[in-house]
Amino acid sequence: MATETPKRDRPWLFRTYAGHSTAKASNALYRANLAKGQTGLSVAFDLPTQTGYDSDDPLARGEVGKVGVPVAHLGDMRMLFDAIPLEQMNTSMTINATAPWLLALYIAVAEEQGADVAKLQGTVQNDIIKEYLSRGTYICPPKPSLRMITDVASYTREHLPKWNPMNVCSYHLQEAGATPEEELAFALATATTVLDDLKRKVPAEHFPAMVGRISFFVNAGIRFITEMSKMRAFVELWDEITAERYGVENPKFRRFRYGVQVNSLGLTEQQPENNVYRILLEMLAVTLSKNARARAVQLPAWNEALGLPRPWDQQWSLRMQQILAYETDLLEYEDIFDGNPVIAAKVEALKAGARAELAQIDAMGGAMEAIDYMKSRLVESNAARIARIEAGETVVVGVNKWTEAAPSPLTSGPEAIMAADPAAEADQIARLQAWRDNRDESAVQAALEELARVARSQENIMPASIAAAKAGATTGEWGDAVRGVFGQYRGPTGVSSSPSNRTEGLDDIRARVDAVSDALGRRLKFVIGKPGLDGHSNGAEQIAARARDSGIDITYEGIRLTPEEIVESAKRDGAHVVGLSILSGSHVPLVEEVMERMRAAGLGHVPVIAGGIIPDDDADRLRAMGVAKVYTPKDFELNLIMNDIVTLVDPRARAAE
């Protein structure tokens, strides 16, 4: 007797996070990935687009097309989705501060294609709170930023009923060092802060459905049991919050809907082929438990700690998802962890820890009022994580244990990683200038004036943004309009001036710092700067915190400084050494400008060190410019970096040479 074939669940959406160089190049990549079986698009935008600057803005120098695709106007958006029918597509756009603008451009292109806007499906991340905490692409202060988040949400309720207006993003919280309890609590606090504001903007009868359209974007690390339990805790806590806090009765609207990109923080530059196994195990944490399964999964490439992945590398990650979904029997069974006492106990422990954090944030008045608190917690948690790796308490294979290995054939050859097209920035700028030359300038200015008027009022920002997009306004002009009304903002660094209590093992370094400071005649001064638009500040924060704990006098003012500001700080504060942190791939032009300005300011004798995801050839170029030391993710032992700094500035060593 033949056995009945089990009915298979529909798999999650298969996505690849992609975008680079130009809209035309990214469009070709999207179409190729869709042809390979990808079932949704996940768009990465470059830093100028994310922070509201045009590609030819001085702040955008070296950043155009580096970490994503530049979209400066409606023409770029047209090119990005050329021959991709948006009415049939599910598109996730990782965009936050400029989310109203990019959604406006997307709607305008869809209308040009003849799409029914009401049928558009997708997500804008639109989570500004995590930008203040961990990613750094914010523009405006918290309160007007919250207003724009909920403007987008209320607009989609009326006009894009299938669109997810916000993707609460805990992904970068984990990348910044969050514990599982912090990741749960900070993300849920963000969601409640947004919903509390949104409640004022939608009719009461529609509010439960809007709760149901809030989605989440999470991280899954290598601690498999903990991460899977965390996802089950997310599901249960969200159901509890939506029922008790908001009175949502329909279980469908209380469902925790999430997409995931698994952990990039744990990808290693050393023995990078091991990352394939890490990515697979992390994917299992968000797919094995049916009741807590992701709706969409995107996986990093195995070599992302080295540089830009090639199309083949992205294909390999896509095949990993397809093999799990279609070759295994995973989707044929109910939840295989229900009733497991180990999992149940872990879930309850995580929920208890998250509830305690949520109570603390609520007592402060919600997530917007607790930004400084949450930022400092992340910096401390990340410092503790790094200390455990340095001490060998947390084993990272190939990094602090089993470091001897045969050379990997996967990383050999000139094309082992993809290099950004050096001509792409010039091409983008030329097309942007041509766009400006050929538009109706009076219509653009009128649209921007109306946008500014709306920003000053209590009206929804979306209709004016869509009108500006159709008139031909640019990303930088939209950004300038909101900056002009709402002002700019510099977020907290999370690095206090007071040393932490983690000084164990620092006695020798502190003694060296004291001795060199005596020889210098004043306390050793270290200025740390992040030039350009890169907001990934985790590394800079940890270097600053360890230097502080080592007895070094630090200046660290946070992200998004110009080379000119960094050099001014070095001169004003009498820097003995300057450290530059850049993770966006724009290290060569930005470091070059800093070095030129240092020499022009009479600071050519001050050693400069640099850190980031820097290929060997680029490291050689930086050293040729005069950079004293170059550090990459493999240099995880912060005490060695501190010792290097002391050696670099020791006047006694220089006198002996």
Side-chain angles (χ1 to χ4, degrees):
M1 181 177 171
T3 57
E4 186 178 344
T5 303
K7 182 178 181 296
R8 294 176 65 87
D9 291 332
R10 191 169 70 174
W12 53 90
L13 284 170
F14 301 158
R15 284 187 171 133
T16 305
Y17 183 53
H20 65 90
S21 303
T22 64
K24 186 175 183 180
S26 298
N27 173 262
L29 180 63
Y30 296 162
R31 288 160 70 176
N33 285 345
L34 290 169
K36 291 173 185 174
Q38 186 173 303
T39 53
L41 293 178
S42 182
V43 183
F45 296 98
D46 74 353
L47 287 172
T49 305
Q50 292 186 54
T51 51
Y53 293 102
D54 283 335
S55 302
D56 58 355
D57 191 286
L59 283 169
R61 180 172 179 252
E63 306 278 19
V64 177
K66 283 283 169 60
V67 301
V69 59
V71 175
H73 49 74
L74 185 59
D76 283 343
M77 196 64 118
R78 271 187 209 129
M79 188 181 292
L80 186 63
F81 293 110
D82 181 46
I84 298 175
L86 297 186
E87 190 175 302
Q88 301 169 30
M89 192 52 51
N90 190 306
T91 305
S92 172
M93 293 193 283
T94 304
I95 199 71
N96 296 285
T98 53
W101 176 243
L102 271 298
L103 181 57
L105 290 170
Y106 190 87
I107 290 169
V109 168
E111 288 182 350
E112 287 183 350
Q113 289 185 357
D116 179 353
V117 171
K119 292 181 180 177
L120 294 181
Q121 296 184 69
T123 306
V124 276
Q125 194 162 94
N126 202 24
D127 174 1
I128 204 66
I129 295 178
K130 73 96 171 48
E131 298 301 320
Y132 301 128
L133 299 179
S134 55
R135 181 61 186 84
T137 68
Y138 53 78
I139 296 175
C140 302
K143 287 184 179 176
S145 295
L146 177 61
R147 174 252 176 110
M148 288 193 284
I149 289 173
T150 53
D151 276 1
V152 168
S154 61
Y155 184 85
T156 60
R157 181 202 69 78
E158 200 169 346
H159 302 283
L160 284 77
K162 295 184 177 182
W163 194 271
N164 297 318
M166 188 193 188
N167 209 209
V168 181
C169 182
S170 74
Y171 174 83
H172 289 101
L173 301 178
Q174 187 179 123
E175 297 287 296
T179 65
E181 293 87 349
E182 288 167 350
E183 187 180 344
L184 285 162
F186 295 1
L188 292 170
T190 296
T192 57
T193 293
V194 169
L195 286 173
D196 288 350
D197 191 67
L198 179 60
K199 201 169 186 180
R200 303 180 298 106
K201 295 186 177 182
V202 299
E205 66 271 21
H206 293 294
F207 185 71
M210 288 306 298
V211 172
R213 284 171 55 199
I214 299 293
S215 61
F216 290 75
F217 185 71
V218 306
N219 202 327
I222 195 65
R223 290 175 60 77
F224 172 83
I225 300 298
T226 298
E227 293 298 311
M228 189 187 62
S229 300
K230 180 190 75 182
M231 296 321 308
R232 292 172 70 96
F234 254 135
V235 169
E236 294 178 21
L237 285 168
W238 186 240
D239 184 75
E240 181 181 297
I241 288 168
T242 53
E244 295 177 5
R245 185 174 182 128
Y246 299 114
V248 178
E249 296 178 357
N250 187 335
K252 176 184 173 184
F253 297 149
R254 299 201 307 267
R255 189 180 304 149
F256 183 82
R257 300 179 308 116
Y258 78 100
V260 65
Q261 156 119 358
V262 306
N263 189 282
S264 292
L265 180 67
L267 300 182
T268 63
E269 183 181 359
Q270 305 94 317
Q271 301 178 29
E273 60 278 4
N274 295 340
N275 293 331
V276 173
Y277 305 127
R278 294 183 176 111
I279 293 165
L280 173 60
L281 289 168
E282 290 162 355
M283 176 176 66
L284 292 177
V286 295
T287 53
L288 282 185
S289 176
K290 179 177 178 177
N291 293 338
R293 184 172 292 152
R295 285 185 73 246
V297 176
Q298 59 192 45
L299 304 179
W302 67 281
N303 57 351
E304 283 190 18
L306 306 178
L308 284 173
R310 301 156 296 185
W312 181 86
D313 304 313
Q314 292 188 332
Q315 174 186 295
W316 199 10
S317 285
L318 176 62
R319 294 293 180 254
M320 195 183 294
Q321 294 200 57
Q322 291 167 327
I323 289 167
L324 178 65
Y326 293 110
E327 293 192 22
T328 78
D329 57 355
L330 172 67
L331 298 179
E332 296 172 11
Y333 292 90
E334 294 303 309
D335 197 299
I336 58 177
F337 295 100
D338 281 357
N340 182 302
V342 174
I343 299 298
K346 183 65 177 175
V347 170
E348 288 305 315
L350 288 170
K351 285 164 61 179
R355 285 193 190 102
E357 280 285 359
L358 282 166
Q360 174 78 23
I361 294 166
D362 268 343
M364 293 179 173
M368 282 296 182
E369 305 299 328
I371 287 170
D372 284 22
Y373 163 77
M374 292 190 288
K375 178 67 176 179
S376 64
R377 287 297 300 264
L378 290 177
V379 171
E380 288 299 307
S381 294
N382 205 14
R385 180 190 69 84
I386 291 170
R388 288 193 297 271
I389 294 172
E390 288 179 305
E393 296 170 19
T394 297
V395 172
V396 183
V397 174
V399 172
N400 63 1
K401 198 161 188 177
W402 303 296
T403 56
E404 294 298 318
S408 169
L410 292 175
T411 60
S412 61
E415 297 180 0
I417 58 172
M418 188 171 74
D421 181 359
E425 184 167 341
D427 172 67
Q428 171 68 14
I429 290 171
R431 285 185 295 100
L432 171 58
Q433 291 169 345
W435 176 266
R436 290 198 196 103
D437 290 342
N438 291 301
R439 66 187 185 176
D440 181 341
E441 195 62 31
S442 61
V444 171
Q445 293 309 315
L448 291 171
E449 287 171 13
E450 173 64 5
L451 176 64
R453 184 198 67 77
V454 168
R456 286 190 293 268
S457 75
Q458 296 301 308
E459 297 173 36
N460 192 299
I461 201 86
M462 282 302 299
S465 295
I466 295 168
K470 292 178 177 178
T474 66
T475 296
E477 290 165 339
W478 185 90
D480 285 344
V482 299
R483 276 185 282 266
V485 175
F486 300 139
Q488 297 202 70
Y489 180 75
R490 185 170 292 284
T493 67
V495 182
S496 72
S497 57
S498 304
S500 73
N501 57 7
R502 284 186 310 278
T503 56
E504 186 178 347
L506 297 181
D507 290 347
D508 290 346
I509 297 172
R510 290 173 69 89
R512 287 196 69 203
V513 169
D514 288 343
V516 168
S517 296
D518 288 343
L520 290 167
R522 60 187 174 90
R523 181 58 48 179
L524 194 166
K525 183 68 178 183
F526 182 24
V527 171
I528 303 121
K530 283 193 63 62
L533 299 176
D534 169 37
H536 283 111
S537 57
N538 305 334
E541 289 157 2
Q542 294 307 314
I543 290 289
R546 184 61 59 86
R548 174 203 63 197
D549 291 348
S550 299
I552 297 172
D553 182 13
I554 63 164
T555 294
Y556 174 58
E557 296 174 327
I559 65 170
R560 228 183 292 170
L561 298 172
T562 64
E564 182 179 14
E565 288 170 329
I566 292 168
V567 174
E568 284 176 359
S569 178
K571 190 166 188 173
R572 179 188 67 239
D573 294 349
H576 293 113
V577 62
V578 172
L580 304 175
S581 172
I582 308 164
L583 281 87
S584 63
S586 57
H587 41 266
V588 170
L590 288 172
V591 171
E592 184 175 40
E593 184 177 348
V594 170
M595 299 302 289
E596 290 170 355
R597 288 183 177 276
M598 290 283 286
R599 286 189 287 270
L603 300 176
H605 61 286
V606 176
V608 174
I609 62 177
I613 300 175
I614 302 173
D616 290 343
D617 289 348
D618 284 356
D620 290 340
R621 290 179 66 183
L622 297 184
R623 282 186 283 264
M625 293 174 195
V627 174
K629 292 280 184 180
V630 177
Y631 300 100
T632 67
K634 70 177 182 295
D635 301 298
F636 69 95
E637 294 184 74
L638 301 188
N639 288 355
L640 294 181
I641 298 175
M642 297 304 114
N643 272 309
D644 285 349
I645 290 169
V646 176
T647 300
L648 279 172
V649 302
D650 190 343
R652 298 166 301 176
R654 292 182 184 177
E657 288 176 354

